[in-house]
């Protein structure tokens, strides 16, 4: 049988294939959206035909296309149009950015922003309605903290939402108040949705433009697939899923996308007969998303021991109700993903999955083809890590988040921080570990997450020696968590590995990361991305 001539040949590179039968190679040939052959330069170049495009990698590193397995795509795509606060250096900086947005928008239009981290500011305190009112008296303003578990609104936004002194806290949420009982603008957890529902939704054309631009931006980071994760009490999920379907129908969804279902839509999903994995090569139904607790920055992560500044956080769902929902989903062929940040939350969630295994055994029901997931596992005690290897689960961690959390965690739990972002113990648990950015909570660049996982340092080299360095993992493990691991968890046999017959989703890095000194890792950039055998981003 004569092989077709490849459309593309990449040669003279270092290929970290993720294929145990051939872990390293020099060249790869691509034809018809698929990888035709992998091997040495001599063998692969011999396959070239008259129309084959030859690309000299010149020693660059090729890996499978990155798959970000925890991404809030709709929120990120839309918020890219808003006020960027990720690098706001102080309260004054944040207020100045809001003030500039006020000057270019007609009165009454909403000003949205996301990404501030007050723990990195000299003031180390949250914004308030009164501060926002000084720069935006006529525009409603809603600003999300970087972890998405806290937001701040000004008076105009609170008025639009009907929030006043008499408004009660919603279930699983808290409206912060001053000494007189007046809301001060700080909203925690589901209280945010009281304001969020008052924000006008963008038009379909605006969403499509935002999605298209966001996909292009992800290609520049080497990302060829995401697991889109819905938020609590989601009002945007239907709009997001409609747009993903529209792009897919029009053959413009150049991103392999698994879309999760908000937990409050479980009954609807079961009634419709949806199952995890339903769809095609570009768009599939993912997991059903539940929350067991909140986030550390908002002090709503559920902890075993109190924070240094008081309280143990809060569960966001009754654990018996969560166990019932997980069991119902499991029986219906829907896999679940459960957000668990604090050590108490992780302990409780692991207990729920332990009981599920017992119930499944008694019912003689097989485990789901695609396993349930625990999301984040941000703080977990060693005795609970030891319980994991007896379960059929996948683990999802956001290593990039540890960089922004170092000061916060040191401040609020001290040396107990050794049990946070426990990547080494989790990698040794025997369960598959996948990485996601939790974007827009963190930078979506997979290389940021990889650097954080292997160095546990900021890009300026601090803290020297790494933060709780015993929790570091290797470059190979970090790359696998963004490539082969999610493909294996989702039983996608032709993705995440550079091997003949697999989908030609590939990323090319400017340098070989293996063995590179830690202080040189920030220099590594994505220089080319291939999706479905087509070059969708190129910088050389």
């Amino acid at each position: 049988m004569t092989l077709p001539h490849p459309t593309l040949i990449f040669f003279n590179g270092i290929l970290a294939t993720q294929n145990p039968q051939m872990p390293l190679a020099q060249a790869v040939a691509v034809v018809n959206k698929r990888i035709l052959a992998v091997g040495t330069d001599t063998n692969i170049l011999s396959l070239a035909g008259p129309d084959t495009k030859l690309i000299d990698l010149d020693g660059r590193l090729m890996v499978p296309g990155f798959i970000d397995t925890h991404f809030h795509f709709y929120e990120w795509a839309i918020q890219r149009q808003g006020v960027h606060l990720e690098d706001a250096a102080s309260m004054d900086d944040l207020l100045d950015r809001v003030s500039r947005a006020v000057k270019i928008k007609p009165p009454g239009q909403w000003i949205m922003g996301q990404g501030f981290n007050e723990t990195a500011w000299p003031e180390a305190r949250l914004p308030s309605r009164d501060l926002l009112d000084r720069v935006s008296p006529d525009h409603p303003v809603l600003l999300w903290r970087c972890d998405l578990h806290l937001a701040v609104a000004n008076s105009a936004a609170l008025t639009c939402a009907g929030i006043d002194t008499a408004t009660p806290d919603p279930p699983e949420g808290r409206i912060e108040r001053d000494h007189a009982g007046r809301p001060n603008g700080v909203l925690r957890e589901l209280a945010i949705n009281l304001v969020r529902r008052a924000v006008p939704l963008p038009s379909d054309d605006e969403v499509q433009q935002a999605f298209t631009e966001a996909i292009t931006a992800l290609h520049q980071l080497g990302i060829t697939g995401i697991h889109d994760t819905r938020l609590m009490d989601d009002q945007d999920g239907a709009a997001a899923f409609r747009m993903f379907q529209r792009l897919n129908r029009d053959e413009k969804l150049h991103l392999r996308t698994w879309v999760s279902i908000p937990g409050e839509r479980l009954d609807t999903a079961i009634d419709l007969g949806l199952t995890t994995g339903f769809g095609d090569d570009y768009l599939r139904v993912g997991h059903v998303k539940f929350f067991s607790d909140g986030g550390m920055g908002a002090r709503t992560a559920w902890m075993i021991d109190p924070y240094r500044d008081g309280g143990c956080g809060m569960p966001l769902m009754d654990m018996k109700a969560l166990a019932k929902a997980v069991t119902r989903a499991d029986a219906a062929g829907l896999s679940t993903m459960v957000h668990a940040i604090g050590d108490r939350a992780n302990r409780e969630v692991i207990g729920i999955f332990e009981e599920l295994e017992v119930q499944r055994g008694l019912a003689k029901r097989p485990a789901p083809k695609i396993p349930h997931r625990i999301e984040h596992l941000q703080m977990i005690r060693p005795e609970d890590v030891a319980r994991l290897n007896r379960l059929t689960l996948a683990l999802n961690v956001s290593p990039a988040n540890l960089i922004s959390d170092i000061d916060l965690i040191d401040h609020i739990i001290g040396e107990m921080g050794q049990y946070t972002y426990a990547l080494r113990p989790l990698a040794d648990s025997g369960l598959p570990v996948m990485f996601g950015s939790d974007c827009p909570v963190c930078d979506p660049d997979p290389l940021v997450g990889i650097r954080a996982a292997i160095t546990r340092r900021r890009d300026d080299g601090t803290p020297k020696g790494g933060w709780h360095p015993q929790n570091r993992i290797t470059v190979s493990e970090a790359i696998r968590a963004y490539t082969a691991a999610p493909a294996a968890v989702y039983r996608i046999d032709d993705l995440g590995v550079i091997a003949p017959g697999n989908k030609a989703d590939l990323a090319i890095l400017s340098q070989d990361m293996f063995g590179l000194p830690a202080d040189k890792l920030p220099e590594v950039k994505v220089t080319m991305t291939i999706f479905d055998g087509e070059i969708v981003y190129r910088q050389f």
Side-chain angles (χ1 to χ4, degrees), residues 214-241:
I215 290 171
T216 297
L218 292 185
H219 287 162
Q220 294 171 7
L221 304 176
I223 296 174
T224 56
I226 61 167
H227 296 178
D228 184 43
T229 306
R230 305 304 339 129
L231 293 173
M232 297 170 285
D233 193 21
D234 175 62
Q235 70 173 12
D236 305 323
F241 196 48

Side-chain angles (χ1 to χ4, degrees), residues 22 29 38 42 91 106 112 138 199 211 218 222 244 291 317 341 343 397:
M22 185 188 289
V38 180
T42 301
M91 185 78 74
M112 307 287 285
D138 301 316
V199 180
F211 271 40
L218 292 185
F244 280 128
F291 286 80
M317 187 173 183
I341 296 287
D343 51 0
V397 188

Side-chain angles (χ1 to χ4, degrees), residues 48 184 518:
N184 66 7

Side-chain angles (χ1 to χ4, degrees), residues 94-95 128-136 143 152-154:
L94 176 142
L95 295 174
S128 67
R129 73 185 289 177
D130 293 333
L131 287 172
L132 293 177
D133 287 350
R134 293 180 192 174
V135 296
S136 183
L143 307 179
V152 185
N154 71 343

Side-chain angles (χ1 to χ4, degrees), residues 8 36 47 77 92-93 133 137 183 250 304 405 414 438 476 498 503 518:
L8 287 170
L36 177 66
L47 303 175
D92 285 344
D93 188 3
D133 287 350
D250 296 342
I304 294 171
D405 271 356
D438 202 12
S476 293
I498 303 175
K503 295 182 176 71

Side-chain angles (χ1 to χ4, degrees), residues 83 85 94-95 97-99 101-102 105 108-114 116 127-129 131-144 151-161 185-187 192 195-196 199:
V83 182
L85 302 173
L94 176 142
L95 295 174
R97 296 180 191 210
V98 174
S99 178
V102 165
K105 287 201 172 188
Q109 282 198 6
W110 281 79
I111 293 173
M112 307 287 285
Q114 195 275 328
F116 73 86
S128 67
R129 73 185 289 177
L131 287 172
L132 293 177
D133 287 350
R134 293 180 192 174
V135 296
S136 183
D138 301 316
H139 296 72
V141 177
L142 181 63
L143 307 179
W144 297 73
V152 185
N154 71 343
S155 294
L158 294 174
T159 298
C160 288
V186 175
L187 308 165
I192 302 169
V195 176
R196 190 168 176 240
V199 180

